[in-house]
Amino acid sequence: MADASFLHSPHCTFRTFTNPTKKLNTFFHSPLLFNFNHHRNKRDFSLLALTPTSQSSHLPISIESNSHPLINVDYMEKEFRGHGVSFTELGESCVLKMQVENGSNASLMLPSGLITSYKPHMWHGGTLEVLHTSVSKGEDGGVVVQGGVFVGFNCRTDGAVSSWSPSTWALLDVRGNPQDGIQVELGSCSNSEGMIEVKYIVTLESDTLSTELQISNLTPLPLQLMGSLISHLTVSTPEATYAVGLEGSNYFNRPPLMSDFSIIPPGFGHRRLQDSNKLWGQTAVEGLMSNWGMTGSNSQGRETGEEQVEEEEIEEEEDDNYAHLTEKMSRIYTSAPRRFSFIDRGRRNSVIVGRDGFDELYVFSPGSSYDWYGTYAYICAGASALLKPIILAPKDVWRGFQYLHNPNL
């Protein structure tokens, strides 16, 4: 393994938030989320870019928005031994695996922050994969991993022409143990000035995987936040999959969200740029275009742009409390409950999806017509802020949660 160089930027030093983490208002007991002290034994350094001689626990964090730090797996293994995590080098990346006492486990990749696997303990005594991922070969010959759980967020100050999206994450800390639960904290900050700081916290318990996003606005201007925490959930077939608990929720049909990690079937119905402007609004489109790479291609076999816009601007209401997901859909719910369930009869599995800090819910399903050899046997759910951006005041901090709970014990 090549020596890792310490990429230092004095403008990008993460600091401990002064307010405790907002607690989830969930229906199940979550000792890890409720009892973890986020500021205990705080380490202010990046474990992704340390030389073998950099052993101080008070080194400044050093990662800029477009930097790609090298991975020091040996150092991370030594530093976090006993917390229930392990590290595996994978080219220029690293796979961090968490496992708790009952066998539930999860894996995420560094520095991308992509959660590639979540296997909770099941009623039959084993584990079952909940997330859907796809591994393919890229145009440059490299490996492309898509799906799983990822952060897709865009940050822009008032009046700014450009925006920033966190894409490279540094490992800040690992807390907990296999008995009580494990928490991994990642961080990223904007450009060399470090005026926007983002923390991404992944928590694994015996029956729950949660993701928390904390965004700190250090600029003197209001900050506009748009985006989502997207989860690709694997299913046996769309015919066996149902969404339970969304009856009465209002929604808008919208194009699927595009990113480097999104799995979207070909020709699903990308909108032309002029259509997208009318669908989303100019400000929203600029943020989404930079974050998800929405293209200008026109899908085959659909109505004209004006007819499609008119149809999609209509707010509708979900009339089925046990909705069958055989039809393709891409929706943003504006009044969905804080938690609901996906039931997969084929796998005898159900997943409860919950959120806090987000008003909207993004749901995407490729439908039955795209279920080719299981490639598109998945559904997406995301706690989101897309139709109505979050406005973060100067010097303020915003927090949002999403969790996947498996009640099959």
Side-chain angles (χ1 to χ4, degrees), residues 122-172:
M122 296 293 293
W123 54 270
H124 49 65
T127 60
L128 182 69
E129 180 60 72
V130 169
L131 301 182
H132 184 90
T133 57
S134 171
V135 180
S136 60
K137 187 175 182 179
E139 295 180 356
D140 59 354
V143 175
V144 177
V145 183
Q146 295 175 301
V149 180
F150 66 89
V151 176
F153 247 80
N154 183 276
C155 308
R156 173 185 294 188
T157 54
D158 186 27
V161 176
S162 61
S163 58
W164 171 75
S165 299
S167 59
T168 302
W169 299 93
L171 177 61
L172 306 184

Side-chain angles (χ1 to χ4, degrees), residues 296-312:
S297 61
N298 191 13
S299 61
Q300 298 179 354
R302 68 173 183 87
E303 302 89 344
T304 63
E306 292 299 327
E307 292 171 345
Q308 187 71 19
V309 169
E310 183 178 354
E311 176 184 339
E312 293 193 350

Side-chain angles (χ1 to χ4, degrees), residues 31-45:
L32 183 61
L33 291 173
F34 277 81
N35 296 333
F36 254 127
N37 183 343
H38 281 205
H39 315 309
R40 177 189 47 171
N41 299 326
K42 187 64 181 177
R43 296 176 175 87
D44 287 330
F45 60 89

Side-chain angles (χ1 to χ4, degrees), residues 218-238:
L218 305 181
T219 74
L221 299 173
L223 189 65
Q224 176 182 277
L225 309 177
M226 293 185 66
S228 184
L229 293 171
I230 302 293
S231 299
H232 292 70
L233 306 177
T234 189
V235 297
S236 56
T237 63

